[in-house]
Amino acid sequence: MVTMMDVSREAGVSSATVSRVLTGSAGVEPATKKLVLAAVAKLGYRPNLVARGLRRQVSQVIALIITDIENPFYTAVCRGVEDSARLAGYSVILCNADRDIEKEREYLRVVEDQNASGVIISPASARKTDISNLIDRGLPVIAVDMALAAATGSVLVDNRDAGALATEYLVGKRCKRIACITGPAENSTAQDRLDGYSRAIAAAGLPVDPDLIIYANYLEDGGYHAAKDLLDLPYRPDGLFVTNNRMTVGVLRALQERGVIIPDEINVIGFDELPWALQLHPHLSLVRQPAYRIGQEAARLLIDCLAGREPSPHMVLEAELVARDGI
Amino acid sequence: MVTMMDVSREAGVSSATVSRVLTGSAGVEPATKKLVLAAVAKLGYRPNLVARGLRRQVSQVIALIITDIENPFYTAVCRGVEDSARLAGYSVILCNADRDIEKEREYLRVVEDQNASGVIISPASARKTDISNLIDRGLPVIAVDMALAAATGSVLVDNRDAGALATEYLVGKRCKRIACITGPAENSTAQDRLDGYSRAIAAAGLPVDPDLIIYANYLEDGGYHAAKDLLDLPYRPDGLFVTNNRMTVGVLRALQERGVIIPDEINVIGFDELPWALQLHPHLSLVRQPAYRIGQEAARLLIDCLAGREPSPHMVLEAELVARDGI
DNA sequence: TTGTAGGCGTTATCAC
DNA sequence: GTGATAACGCCTACAA
């Protein structure tokens, strides 16, 4: 390994001067600078990030803690974070917390021990996720996907509005019995989307029927069983809002098994991207969060915080309606 | 932050002794040890991993460089790596190289600068991916998904056998004109799967028709256009082997647009998991690599190498045929 | 403008 | 068995 000492010897200056050149501090004679840079190039020197991290007390690493790496929404967020961080010279540690509050807690500890510069997190729970240690240490934490009271900043969509947007689409399709399959009751994001649904139902003058609201687990099987239950009702719904992408897969399977055709017998609107769905299911509409951009902006916000910028780092992005009324 | 010095003062011993207790070195009086552990617990001390990394010259971090984070195969590998690494007390830096040799190179540099303990990589190219720097520095590198001559170890399936397995399935379905859509010509894994196809075609006594072999880009649009081309042939194929999952999505779309029914008009076998496909396309068969296990084993192998174990860390796993002859 | 020196928190090598 | 002490590679007062 080639160290700063080697460079300084090669250039005939002290290591302090090398450091100054490399960190871009002012006050180095241009000639000296040239000398140093030549030595750096000649020896192929690259700073040891671990030593730098120890000295500066922060690494150039940001941690990204996500909820579900098998969910395309979160992978898109990842890409956004990664691309944005990379441009700014940061590395990303990715941690998949798996909707598991324990695993998440453990990762938050690791992040602290590794002296990450900051954290981007899609919390497992708005209430239980505890970032106080990080905040106390002065580490910036940006929440995505779910609001977190203690967070330094956040990049979110208004999930109530998004839920209302989805529901209004179904209202516009003249649906009279609109059902909603949402996530776990303790999940605030799921609750918000459901609130939006309720608001839109009320605004349309439709009756709110508790039978038409089902809480499920945000996974395929949850969507599947919920859809089956809805299809078994004495009066079937003619519209269905599913509040996440993986449940939408289960819903499609249930409909397929029962031979129920979209949009003839029921209109369906999902939430968040399923990369293949738009290709293979031309009648499935959806409300889509700008996942990649959420990641990008979160990283940008975090890096701004690290640089001491950004007074109010809270950002609300718009969810988009992808209406697909047939080919 | 509470340091080892704080602990040593609390316990009334030197920091060297604290270190010995914490690293489990032999030769510490049980009574002293108890004292130290009590102090650690009381102060909530946790070692600074950065300082340890600097001193020991290796971190407890392994880097995972993957080809495509939006491909469910790789995300499953990720989970395997992560779960396995976590159990052994390692953190994972995830890097998404995006099939881009430049991006991959850059990540390999970052990994070196961060003093990762080792690397697991699904190479962008068997020829161009250059890990010699890491190997020279003594860092173990485990290749997955694609063989890499210089790698310390590897976890792979035999892609020729897997390709043959897929093709034999179609032969068994009495297909007479079997096509293959494979990945980029310079991709050795794609080439291997194609070789397996050719071998099986020959073994079945079927003619090898160059029109039935298409090289595409491993992405949805590539599969889509390739399938269209095949459907436009004067004599349509009655069997189709698609060598990766994302292209399979494109193929399904093309078939759907043309109204071609599986398995009545054509039998299709894909490669690698599409989490939703098994649910929504009951007639789509596939050959599946044990993605999660590949990740697990790769991490295990790497950690064994780091511990100085594992004389020949090359592992070949079996791909599995998921035959779906209808409900 | 440049050099010297001390320390970030840990571990390893000596003595004792 | 335990305690000083010197690194690991870098950055930053402070001095020159």
Side-chain angles (χ1 to χ4, degrees), chain A residues 113, chain B residues 1-7 18-19 22 36 39-49 52:
Chain A
D113 293 346
Chain B
M1 148 164 279
V2 32
T3 76
M4 225 164 66
M5 269 306 285
D6 301 321
V7 175
V18 176
S19 174
L22 262 39
V36 169
V40 166
K42 180 175 174 196
L43 301 181
Y45 167 77
R46 292 199 323 275
N48 179 323
L49 267 29
R52 176 177 288 175

mmCIF file of all heavy atoms in Angstrom, chain A residues 113, chain B residues 1-7 18-19 22 36 39-49 52, chain C residues 9-11:
data_model
loop_
_atom_site.group_PDB
_atom_site.id
_atom_site.type_symbol
_atom_site.label_atom_id
_atom_site.label_comp_id
_atom_site.label_asym_id
_atom_site.label_seq_id
_atom_site.Cartn_x
_atom_site.Cartn_y
_atom_site.Cartn_z
ATOM 1 N N ASP A 113 -21.700 1.992 14.615
ATOM 2 C CA ASP A 113 -20.352 1.470 14.852
ATOM 3 C C ASP A 113 -19.430 1.711 13.667
ATOM 4 O O ASP A 113 -18.219 1.827 13.819
ATOM 5 C CB ASP A 113 -20.409 -0.031 15.145
ATOM 6 C CG ASP A 113 -21.115 -0.315 16.465
ATOM 7 O OD1 ASP A 113 -21.306 0.638 17.236
ATOM 8 O OD2 ASP A 113 -21.460 -1.477 16.713
ATOM 9 N N MET B 1 -19.105 9.767 22.732
ATOM 10 C CA MET B 1 -18.700 8.382 22.430
ATOM 11 C C MET B 1 -17.868 7.796 23.560
ATOM 12 O O MET B 1 -16.950 8.449 24.064
ATOM 13 C CB MET B 1 -17.876 8.375 21.136
ATOM 14 C CG MET B 1 -16.799 7.280 21.107
ATOM 15 S SD MET B 1 -16.178 6.975 19.475
ATOM 16 C CE MET B 1 -17.434 5.912 18.825
ATOM 17 N N VAL B 2 -18.161 6.593 23.946
ATOM 18 C CA VAL B 2 -17.420 5.950 25.023
ATOM 19 C C VAL B 2 -16.338 5.047 24.434
ATOM 20 O O VAL B 2 -16.617 4.173 23.616
ATOM 21 C CB VAL B 2 -18.372 5.166 25.972
ATOM 22 C CG1 VAL B 2 -19.558 4.618 25.235
ATOM 23 C CG2 VAL B 2 -17.649 4.085 26.712
ATOM 24 N N THR B 3 -15.098 5.323 24.843
ATOM 25 C CA THR B 3 -13.961 4.605 24.251
ATOM 26 C C THR B 3 -13.451 3.511 25.190
ATOM 27 O O THR B 3 -13.924 3.368 26.312
ATOM 28 C CB THR B 3 -12.804 5.570 23.988
ATOM 29 O OG1 THR B 3 -12.173 5.860 25.241
ATOM 30 C CG2 THR B 3 -13.289 6.853 23.355
ATOM 31 N N MET B 4 -12.451 2.827 24.707
ATOM 32 C CA MET B 4 -11.876 1.759 25.504
ATOM 33 C C MET B 4 -11.208 2.336 26.747
ATOM 34 O O MET B 4 -11.177 1.689 27.803
ATOM 35 C CB MET B 4 -10.865 0.996 24.671
ATOM 36 C CG MET B 4 -11.017 -0.489 24.832
ATOM 37 S SD MET B 4 -10.171 -1.397 23.555
ATOM 38 C CE MET B 4 -8.515 -0.984 23.942
ATOM 39 N N MET B 5 -10.693 3.528 26.617
ATOM 40 C CA MET B 5 -10.066 4.181 27.763
ATOM 41 C C MET B 5 -11.074 4.358 28.899
ATOM 42 O O MET B 5 -10.768 4.122 30.069
ATOM 43 C CB MET B 5 -9.520 5.556 27.349
ATOM 44 C CG MET B 5 -8.085 5.543 26.877
ATOM 45 S SD MET B 5 -6.992 4.777 28.103
ATOM 46 C CE MET B 5 -6.917 6.106 29.342
ATOM 47 N N ASP B 6 -12.271 4.799 28.550
ATOM 48 C CA ASP B 6 -13.306 4.976 29.558
ATOM 49 C C ASP B 6 -13.561 3.664 30.293
ATOM 50 O O ASP B 6 -13.674 3.631 31.517
ATOM 51 C CB ASP B 6 -14.604 5.465 28.904
ATOM 52 C CG ASP B 6 -14.395 6.776 28.165
ATOM 53 O OD1 ASP B 6 -13.645 7.629 28.691
ATOM 54 O OD2 ASP B 6 -14.960 6.946 27.074
ATOM 55 N N VAL B 7 -13.646 2.610 29.506
ATOM 56 C CA VAL B 7 -13.907 1.300 30.102
ATOM 57 C C VAL B 7 -12.763 0.914 31.026
ATOM 58 O O VAL B 7 -12.975 0.421 32.141
ATOM 59 C CB VAL B 7 -14.082 0.229 29.005
ATOM 60 C CG1 VAL B 7 -14.228 -1.151 29.629
ATOM 61 C CG2 VAL B 7 -15.275 0.549 28.134
ATOM 62 N N VAL B 18 -8.497 -4.482 28.476
ATOM 63 C CA VAL B 18 -9.845 -4.408 27.923
ATOM 64 C C VAL B 18 -9.850 -4.994 26.524
ATOM 65 O O VAL B 18 -10.706 -5.815 26.176
ATOM 66 C CB VAL B 18 -10.336 -2.952 27.883
ATOM 67 C CG1 VAL B 18 -11.705 -2.875 27.221
ATOM 68 C CG2 VAL B 18 -10.381 -2.359 29.278
ATOM 69 N N SER B 19 -8.882 -4.599 25.756
ATOM 70 C CA SER B 19 -8.787 -5.103 24.394
ATOM 71 C C SER B 19 -8.681 -6.623 24.388
ATOM 72 O O SER B 19 -9.354 -7.305 23.618
ATOM 73 C CB SER B 19 -7.576 -4.480 23.698
ATOM 74 O OG SER B 19 -7.390 -5.047 22.429
ATOM 75 N N LEU B 22 -11.971 -8.183 25.077
ATOM 76 C CA LEU B 22 -12.942 -8.021 24.002
ATOM 77 C C LEU B 22 -12.603 -8.833 22.753
ATOM 78 O O LEU B 22 -13.497 -9.273 22.026
ATOM 79 C CB LEU B 22 -13.056 -6.539 23.641
ATOM 80 C CG LEU B 22 -14.236 -5.819 24.288
ATOM 81 C CD1 LEU B 22 -14.464 -6.250 25.709
ATOM 82 C CD2 LEU B 22 -14.042 -4.329 24.208
ATOM 83 N N VAL B 36 -14.001 -6.266 33.680
ATOM 84 C CA VAL B 36 -14.040 -5.548 32.407
ATOM 85 C C VAL B 36 -15.415 -5.634 31.768
ATOM 86 O O VAL B 36 -15.989 -4.619 31.344
ATOM 87 C CB VAL B 36 -12.976 -6.110 31.440
ATOM 88 C CG1 VAL B 36 -13.181 -5.564 30.042
ATOM 89 C CG2 VAL B 36 -11.579 -5.788 31.951
ATOM 90 N N ALA B 39 -17.828 -3.377 33.348
ATOM 91 C CA ALA B 39 -17.633 -1.978 32.949
ATOM 92 C C ALA B 39 -18.185 -1.738 31.547
ATOM 93 O O ALA B 39 -18.828 -0.718 31.279
ATOM 94 C CB ALA B 39 -16.148 -1.634 33.008
ATOM 95 N N VAL B 40 -17.935 -2.682 30.659
ATOM 96 C CA VAL B 40 -18.445 -2.571 29.292
ATOM 97 C C VAL B 40 -19.960 -2.441 29.314
ATOM 98 O O VAL B 40 -20.541 -1.564 28.671
ATOM 99 C CB VAL B 40 -18.030 -3.808 28.453
ATOM 100 C CG1 VAL B 40 -18.838 -3.876 27.166
ATOM 101 C CG2 VAL B 40 -16.546 -3.772 28.149
ATOM 102 N N ALA B 41 -20.579 -3.332 30.076
ATOM 103 C CA ALA B 41 -22.040 -3.322 30.142
ATOM 104 C C ALA B 41 -22.530 -2.008 30.750
ATOM 105 O O ALA B 41 -23.442 -1.370 30.231
ATOM 106 C CB ALA B 41 -22.521 -4.512 30.967
ATOM 107 N N LYS B 42 -21.891 -1.603 31.841
ATOM 108 C CA LYS B 42 -22.335 -0.398 32.533
ATOM 109 C C LYS B 42 -22.295 0.823 31.620
ATOM 110 O O LYS B 42 -23.217 1.630 31.593
ATOM 111 C CB LYS B 42 -21.452 -0.161 33.761
ATOM 112 C CG LYS B 42 -21.859 1.089 34.534
ATOM 113 C CD LYS B 42 -21.084 1.273 35.814
ATOM 114 C CE LYS B 42 -21.454 2.611 36.452
ATOM 115 N NZ LYS B 42 -20.457 2.993 37.479
ATOM 116 N N LEU B 43 -21.207 0.945 30.877
ATOM 117 C CA LEU B 43 -21.042 2.132 30.033
ATOM 118 C C LEU B 43 -21.686 1.970 28.655
ATOM 119 O O LEU B 43 -21.747 2.918 27.882
ATOM 120 C CB LEU B 43 -19.552 2.437 29.864
ATOM 121 C CG LEU B 43 -18.774 2.700 31.162
ATOM 122 C CD1 LEU B 43 -17.326 3.003 30.849
ATOM 123 C CD2 LEU B 43 -19.405 3.853 31.927
ATOM 124 N N GLY B 44 -22.140 0.769 28.362
ATOM 125 C CA GLY B 44 -22.704 0.552 27.030
ATOM 126 C C GLY B 44 -21.667 0.729 25.941
ATOM 127 O O GLY B 44 -21.951 1.211 24.851
ATOM 128 N N TYR B 45 -20.461 0.310 26.264
ATOM 129 C CA TYR B 45 -19.375 0.481 25.302
ATOM 130 C C TYR B 45 -19.526 -0.432 24.098
ATOM 131 O O TYR B 45 -19.893 -1.584 24.228
ATOM 132 C CB TYR B 45 -18.038 0.184 25.982
ATOM 133 C CG TYR B 45 -16.893 0.031 25.011
ATOM 134 C CD1 TYR B 45 -16.309 1.141 24.419
ATOM 135 C CD2 TYR B 45 -16.419 -1.228 24.681
ATOM 136 C CE1 TYR B 45 -15.276 1.002 23.521
ATOM 137 C CE2 TYR B 45 -15.373 -1.380 23.777
ATOM 138 C CZ TYR B 45 -14.808 -0.259 23.202
ATOM 139 O OH TYR B 45 -13.786 -0.407 22.317
ATOM 140 N N ARG B 46 -19.256 0.107 22.934
ATOM 141 C CA ARG B 46 -19.140 -0.732 21.739
ATOM 142 C C ARG B 46 -17.911 -0.296 20.971
ATOM 143 O O ARG B 46 -17.679 0.902 20.786
ATOM 144 C CB ARG B 46 -20.385 -0.616 20.868
ATOM 145 C CG ARG B 46 -21.603 -1.244 21.570
ATOM 146 C CD ARG B 46 -22.730 -1.579 20.620
ATOM 147 N NE ARG B 46 -22.874 -0.594 19.581
ATOM 148 C CZ ARG B 46 -23.571 0.526 19.683
ATOM 149 N NH1 ARG B 46 -24.200 0.808 20.800
ATOM 150 N NH2 ARG B 46 -23.661 1.345 18.673
ATOM 151 N N PRO B 47 -17.107 -1.256 20.537
ATOM 152 C CA PRO B 47 -15.836 -0.919 19.885
ATOM 153 C C PRO B 47 -16.048 -0.069 18.636
ATOM 154 O O PRO B 47 -17.039 -0.227 17.934
ATOM 155 C CB PRO B 47 -15.245 -2.279 19.498
ATOM 156 C CG PRO B 47 -16.105 -3.311 20.108
ATOM 157 C CD PRO B 47 -17.346 -2.680 20.621
ATOM 158 N N ASN B 48 -15.155 0.816 18.396
ATOM 159 C CA ASN B 48 -15.167 1.629 17.183
ATOM 160 C C ASN B 48 -14.567 0.822 16.038
ATOM 161 O O ASN B 48 -13.372 0.543 16.002
ATOM 162 C CB ASN B 48 -14.363 2.894 17.436
ATOM 163 C CG ASN B 48 -14.312 3.774 16.216
ATOM 164 O OD1 ASN B 48 -14.231 3.295 15.091
ATOM 165 N ND2 ASN B 48 -14.361 5.067 16.433
ATOM 166 N N LEU B 49 -15.442 0.457 15.100
ATOM 167 C CA LEU B 49 -15.027 -0.430 14.026
ATOM 168 C C LEU B 49 -14.036 0.224 13.073
ATOM 169 O O LEU B 49 -13.252 -0.447 12.402
ATOM 170 C CB LEU B 49 -16.258 -0.904 13.249
ATOM 171 C CG LEU B 49 -16.886 -2.228 13.706
ATOM 172 C CD1 LEU B 49 -16.684 -2.490 15.175
ATOM 173 C CD2 LEU B 49 -18.346 -2.287 13.345
ATOM 174 N N ARG B 52 -10.611 0.018 14.764
ATOM 175 C CA ARG B 52 -10.193 -1.375 14.684
ATOM 176 C C ARG B 52 -9.744 -1.715 13.266
ATOM 177 O O ARG B 52 -8.737 -2.380 13.067
ATOM 178 C CB ARG B 52 -11.353 -2.276 15.104
ATOM 179 C CG ARG B 52 -11.043 -3.744 14.951
ATOM 180 C CD ARG B 52 -12.175 -4.598 15.440
ATOM 181 N NE ARG B 52 -12.290 -4.577 16.890
ATOM 182 C CZ ARG B 52 -13.277 -5.171 17.559
ATOM 183 N NH1 ARG B 52 -14.229 -5.801 16.911
ATOM 184 N NH2 ARG B 52 -13.307 -5.127 18.869
ATOM 185 P P DG C 9 -11.695 8.958 19.850
ATOM 186 O OP1 DG C 9 -13.145 9.175 19.863
ATOM 187 O OP2 DG C 9 -10.845 9.502 20.924
ATOM 188 O "O5'" DG C 9 -11.429 7.390 19.785
ATOM 189 C "C5'" DG C 9 -12.216 6.602 18.891
ATOM 190 C "C4'" DG C 9 -11.608 5.224 18.785
ATOM 191 O "O4'" DG C 9 -10.248 5.346 18.334
ATOM 192 C "C3'" DG C 9 -11.552 4.459 20.112
ATOM 193 O "O3'" DG C 9 -12.148 3.199 19.886
ATOM 194 C "C2'" DG C 9 -10.067 4.368 20.422
ATOM 195 C "C1'" DG C 9 -9.436 4.450 19.043
ATOM 196 N N9 DG C 9 -8.100 5.003 19.014
ATOM 197 C C8 DG C 9 -7.586 6.012 19.790
ATOM 198 N N7 DG C 9 -6.345 6.300 19.508
ATOM 199 C C5 DG C 9 -6.014 5.436 18.482
ATOM 200 C C6 DG C 9 -4.795 5.287 17.766
ATOM 201 O O6 DG C 9 -3.744 5.917 17.903
ATOM 202 N N1 DG C 9 -4.890 4.294 16.793
ATOM 203 C C2 DG C 9 -6.016 3.542 16.555
ATOM 204 N N2 DG C 9 -5.931 2.636 15.587
ATOM 205 N N3 DG C 9 -7.156 3.665 17.214
ATOM 206 C C4 DG C 9 -7.085 4.629 18.158
ATOM 207 P P DT C 10 -12.135 2.028 20.974
ATOM 208 O OP1 DT C 10 -13.439 1.357 20.893
ATOM 209 O OP2 DT C 10 -11.656 2.535 22.271
ATOM 210 O "O5'" DT C 10 -11.025 1.071 20.365
ATOM 211 C "C5'" DT C 10 -11.233 0.535 19.077
ATOM 212 C "C4'" DT C 10 -9.964 -0.075 18.536
ATOM 213 O "O4'" DT C 10 -8.901 0.891 18.590
ATOM 214 C "C3'" DT C 10 -9.449 -1.280 19.311
ATOM 215 O "O3'" DT C 10 -9.765 -2.456 18.554
ATOM 216 C "C2'" DT C 10 -7.950 -1.085 19.419
ATOM 217 C "C1'" DT C 10 -7.680 0.207 18.656
ATOM 218 N N1 DT C 10 -6.702 1.121 19.323
ATOM 219 C C2 DT C 10 -5.406 1.162 18.875
ATOM 220 O O2 DT C 10 -4.984 0.479 17.968
ATOM 221 N N3 DT C 10 -4.599 2.041 19.550
ATOM 222 C C4 DT C 10 -4.963 2.869 20.594
ATOM 223 O O4 DT C 10 -4.150 3.620 21.120
ATOM 224 C C5 DT C 10 -6.340 2.772 21.007
ATOM 225 C C7 DT C 10 -6.839 3.623 22.132
ATOM 226 C C6 DT C 10 -7.145 1.912 20.362
ATOM 227 P P DT C 11 -9.468 -3.862 19.221
ATOM 228 O OP1 DT C 11 -10.265 -4.815 18.440
ATOM 229 O OP2 DT C 11 -9.581 -3.782 20.680
ATOM 230 O "O5'" DT C 11 -7.923 -4.079 18.864
ATOM 231 C "C5'" DT C 11 -7.552 -4.274 17.515
ATOM 232 C "C4'" DT C 11 -6.046 -4.390 17.428
ATOM 233 O "O4'" DT C 11 -5.431 -3.227 18.038
ATOM 234 C "C3'" DT C 11 -5.442 -5.602 18.133
ATOM 235 O "O3'" DT C 11 -4.448 -6.116 17.256
ATOM 236 C "C2'" DT C 11 -4.817 -5.009 19.391
ATOM 237 C "C1'" DT C 11 -4.368 -3.656 18.861
ATOM 238 N N1 DT C 11 -4.157 -2.578 19.856
ATOM 239 C C2 DT C 11 -2.981 -1.854 19.820
ATOM 240 O O2 DT C 11 -2.106 -2.074 19.007
ATOM 241 N N3 DT C 11 -2.880 -0.861 20.761
ATOM 242 C C4 DT C 11 -3.811 -0.519 21.722
ATOM 243 O O4 DT C 11 -3.604 0.397 22.503
ATOM 244 C C5 DT C 11 -5.019 -1.304 21.710
ATOM 245 C C7 DT C 11 -6.086 -1.022 22.694
ATOM 246 C C6 DT C 11 -5.136 -2.293 20.795
#
